[in-house]
Amino acid sequence: MATADRTTVEQQYEDQLRSASDSAGITGYILHRAKPHLPPWLCVGGVGLASLGSLLWEGSAAAGVGLTLASVALTGVTWWAGKATGQQRRLHSAITVAAGSAWLTGACLAGPLTGPLPDLYLMGGPALALSWNIRMVLRRNVDSTTAGGTDKGLLEKVGLARAQIGATSVEPNRVTAKMALEAGEQTTDDVARVLPRIASALDLPKSAVRYMPDPDSARRGDLVIVPEDMLAQVAEWEGPSNLGGSIAEPLVIGRYEDGSPLVIWLPGDPEIKRNSTHVLIAGGTGSGKGETALNLMTEILSRRDVLLWVSDPKMFQDFRPLLPGMDWSAEGGPDTEVMVEAIKVVIPARTRWLGVHGYRQWIPAAAERQTSTEHTCRPDGTPCGCPGVPFLVGWQEEAANTLRALGDDAFTGIAQEARSAGIALVVSLQRPSYDQMSTSTRASLPSVIALGCDPRDEGFSLPDTVINAGAHPGAWGNRRPGYCYVVSPGIPEDRYPSPGRTFAVPHTAGAAKAVAGQNYTGRPVPGAPPVLRLVTDEGDTGMDAESHGILVDPEDAGIDPEADLSGGEEGDDARLWESPGYKPSPEEARELFADALEEFETAGQMVVGPKDFIEWCDRHNLSRPWVSARLKDAALDGPLEPTSVTGRWRIVPQLVEA
C-alpha cells in the first residue's frame, strides 16, 4: 500500500514538471516567433518617447525649421537607400519614415497631447507597425521558401553557390531576378560561362536564359529566364509601318518575344545623340536572310526622302517585285563595280553640299528645298532654293560575291566615310568571317541583324558582350527562319540579347505595289537608265585615274595604234565611214569612238573593254590596239575610269544636281 502511494506521488510530481516544461516551451516558442515582429512596435514606442522633446522645443520657431528639415532629409535618405530593393519595399519605407517624422515634428512643437496628435499616434502607429508585420508574414510562405531553396540549389549546381538572388519580378513568360555575386570572388563573366548549364538545369534552350550585367557593378545584374518561345508563331507582314513617312523614323521589321516592335534606325538624330549607322545582315542558308531583307527594303521604299541603290548577283530572284521602286539596280559583276565606284564619288559631293547648306549630318530637312538665308550657296546670301538631297541607302546583297571580285576591303572607305554624307551601307552575306571581309570593314558596320548561323560563326556577327549575355544565334541554325538579334544605335542595350523574329512577307507583286509605286520623290521612271543624283563641280569626278592599276591591256602593248589609220583628208560624206574597206582618218576615228561610248551608255552598258569593240572594229576597219589606246586616253581625260580589272573601263555618266 505504501508502495502504491509512493508511485502515485511520483507520477503527480512528474506530471507537474512536464506541465511546467510544456508551459515554458510554449511561452518560449511564442516569444521566439514574436521577436521578428517586435521592431516596428519598438519604433512606434520610440517615436512616442521622442515626442517628449516638446519640453525643450514647444513653440520654438528655430526648432520647427530644424525638425522639418530633418524630417525631409530622413525621408529622402530612405528613398535613396532603397534604390537597390524592390519598388514596393522602397515606397513602403519612405511612407513610414515620412509619417513618423511628420508626427514627431508636430508633437515636439505643439506637445504630444495637443489636438488630434494623440489620436493619430494611437491609430496610425499600430497601423504602420501592423503593415510591416503583415509584409513579413506574407514574405514567409511555403511557396517562397521552396522557391528560395530551389534557387540556391540551382546556383550550387552551376558553381555559383555563394551568389545571392534578390528581388524577383514575374511577368507573362518572363522572370527577372536580381543577382549579387560574391564580392571579390565572382564577376559577371562567371555568370556568362554558366548560362548554358543553367538552361540545362531548367530544361530550356540556351537562348531562353540571359544575364544582363549592371553597367555600374562587376558583380550585380539581372538573370532573365523566358520559359516559352513566344516567337514560334509566325507574324505576317501587315504592310508598311509608316507609308510616306521619313526615313528618319524607325523601320519596323518584326517583333520581339514580348510582342514589342523590332525596329532599326538608319539616319542619326543629333537631338538625342544617336549616330547614323551601317548595317550588316548575317545568317546561314535557310536562316531567313532573304525575308529579313524584304522587311527592311519594303520599309525603306515606303519612305519619301530616301534613295535605294541595290546590287544583287542573284539577279533579284527574291526582290524582283521591288525593282520598280529602286533608284538603281545592278545584277552583280561590272554593274556592281560601277555602283561601288559611284558611291565613292557621291560621298564628297554630298558632304560638300551638306556643309554649304549648314548640315553637320543628314536630317530630314536636308531632303527639302533649301530656303535658308543663313546657309546658302549663293554669294549674295539670298535663299538658293536648291532641291534637297535625299538619304541614300547602298545595299550590297550576297556581298561575298562582290568582295571576292573587288577585294575584301572594297567597302572599307565607303563604310568609314559615308555616314557623314547621309549614306547608309547595308551589307548582306552568309558568313562575315575575316577571310571574306576585312577587319576594317567589319569594324565600320556598327549595326548587325544576326540570324541563325553555325555556332562557330557567332563571334563574326555579334559583339562578345552580347554573346556573353546569352545571345546564341548558333543555337537556331536554319531551324528558326527569321529569328534574329539586332544590335544597333537607338535600341536599348538590354534588348541586344533579346531575340526577335522578322515578319513573313508575301512574295507577290501586289504586296510590293504598296511600296514600290511612283508616289515618292526621287523614284525613277521604270526602264530609265540610272542617274547619279549629286552636286559636284563640272568635270570633278572626285577620282584619281592614276591611282588605279594597268590602263592598257597587256595584249596590246608595244603595238602602234595609229599604224592602220588613213593619212588622207577627212571625208566630206559621213557615209564613207561605212564604205567597205574605208579607213577613217585619226580625227574621224576619234569621233566614231566618242559616238560608240555614247551608244554603250545609252544601252546601259557602263563597263567596256577592247573585247566589246570587236564587231565595231571590223565595221570601221580599226584595230584592237587602237581601241585600247583610245580607252587609255579617255581614262586620263575623264570620260572613262579604270576598274580593278585589267582591260576594263567604267563609263562616267553625266552628273546632274540632286
Side-chain angles (χ1 to χ4, degrees), residues 591-615:
E591 187 174 345
L592 286 170
F593 179 76
D595 292 341
L597 291 181
E598 289 184 5
E599 291 175 5
F600 280 121
E601 182 177 353
T602 301
Q605 182 174 346
M606 306 301 289
V607 176
V608 297
K611 295 180 180 179
D612 299 302
F613 286 83
I614 291 177
E615 189 275 334

Side-chain angles (χ1 to χ4, degrees), residues 32 58 105 154 160 168 182 293 333 509 546-547:
H32 175 72
E58 186 174 358
T105 299
L154 172 64
L160 298 175
T168 302
E182 185 180 12
E546 295 183 358
S547 66

Side-chain angles (χ1 to χ4, degrees), residues 523-563:
R523 297 288 177 233
V525 177
V531 177
L532 301 185
R533 297 173 174 83
L534 57 114
V535 177
T536 183
D537 295 334
E538 185 175 356
D540 175 19
T541 65
M543 304 295 295
D544 180 7
E546 295 183 358
S547 66
H548 293 265
I550 302 173
L551 296 181
V552 178
D553 195 320
E555 293 183 28
D556 303 325
I559 300 177
D560 181 7
E562 307 286 346

Side-chain angles (χ1 to χ4, degrees), residues 188-193 195 209-215 222 442 446 448 458-473 485-488 492-498:
T188 55
D189 293 337
D190 296 318
V191 182
R193 283 193 291 269
L195 286 179
V209 181
R210 300 187 287 275
Y211 181 70
M212 298 303 304
D214 185 340
D222 293 339
R442 180 62 188 89
V448 61
E458 290 180 345
F460 296 136
S461 302
L462 291 172
D464 291 341
T465 54
V466 179
I467 295 176
N468 292 339
H472 292 292
Y485 297 101
V486 179
V487 175
S488 186
E493 292 187 8
D494 60 358
R495 278 286 194 188
Y496 290 172
S498 298

Side-chain angles (χ1 to χ4, degrees), residues 308-584:
L308 179 62
W309 295 358
V310 182
S311 165
D312 184 7
K314 291 172 59 178
M315 311 302 175
F316 294 90
Q317 179 181 6
D318 293 330
F319 314 122
R320 189 153 296 276
L322 301 181
L323 279 174
M326 295 179 186
D327 297 275
W328 187 355
S329 56
E331 295 182 348
D335 290 344
T336 293
E337 187 170 355
V338 172
M339 180 178 290
V340 172
E341 295 297 327
I343 294 176
K344 293 178 182 178
V345 176
V346 161
I347 291 172
R350 290 173 65 96
T351 53
R352 182 165 53 249
W353 189 96
L354 291 170
V356 167
H357 292 88
Y359 301 105
R360 297 187 62 185
Q361 67 180 75
W362 189 92
I363 58 176
E368 308 295 334
R369 185 168 296 277
Q370 304 303 299
T371 58
S372 171
T373 57
E374 182 179 357
H375 300 288
T376 175
C377 58
R378 291 185 176 178
D380 59 1
T382 58
C384 59
C386 291
V389 172
F391 194 78
L392 174 61
V393 178
W395 191 299
Q396 298 295 322
E397 185 67 20
E398 296 295 341
N401 293 343
T402 303
L403 291 168
R404 282 194 296 269
L406 304 183
D408 64 354
D409 62 347
F411 305 135
T412 301
I414 296 174
Q416 292 175 345
E417 301 170 4
R419 287 191 296 169
S420 61
I423 300 175
L425 181 66
V426 179
V427 178
S428 176
L429 73 170
Q430 293 185 13
R431 190 172 185 267
S433 56
Y434 303 122
D435 60 341
Q436 297 202 39
M437 177 187 295
S438 73
T439 55
S440 297
T441 299
R442 180 62 188 89
S444 300
L445 301 175
S447 296
V448 61
I449 302 175
L451 296 109
C453 64
D454 188 292
R456 295 168 295 183
D457 294 342
E458 290 180 345
F460 296 136
S461 302
L462 291 172
D464 291 341
T465 54
V466 179
I467 295 176
N468 292 339
H472 292 292
W476 301 326
N478 60 2
R479 298 179 301 278
R480 298 286 190 273
Y483 280 56
C484 62
Y485 297 101
V486 179
V487 175
S488 186
I491 300 175
E493 292 187 8
D494 60 358
R495 278 286 194 188
Y496 290 172
S498 298
R501 188 175 188 179
T502 56
F503 295 125
V505 181
H507 293 70
T508 64
K513 187 177 180 181
V515 295
Q518 300 299 315
N519 300 323
Y520 311 106
T521 59
R523 297 288 177 233
V525 177
V531 177
L532 301 185
R533 297 173 174 83
L534 57 114
V535 177
T536 183
D537 295 334
E538 185 175 356
D540 175 19
T541 65
M543 304 295 295
D544 180 7
E546 295 183 358
S547 66
H548 293 265
I550 302 173
L551 296 181
V552 178
D553 195 320
E555 293 183 28
D556 303 325
I559 300 177
D560 181 7
E562 307 286 346
D564 293 334
L565 295 182
S566 169
E569 297 293 331
E570 295 184 17
D572 294 330
D573 191 347
R575 287 175 296 180
L576 291 176
W577 297 353
E578 303 294 339
S579 301
Y582 179 81
K583 292 186 178 181

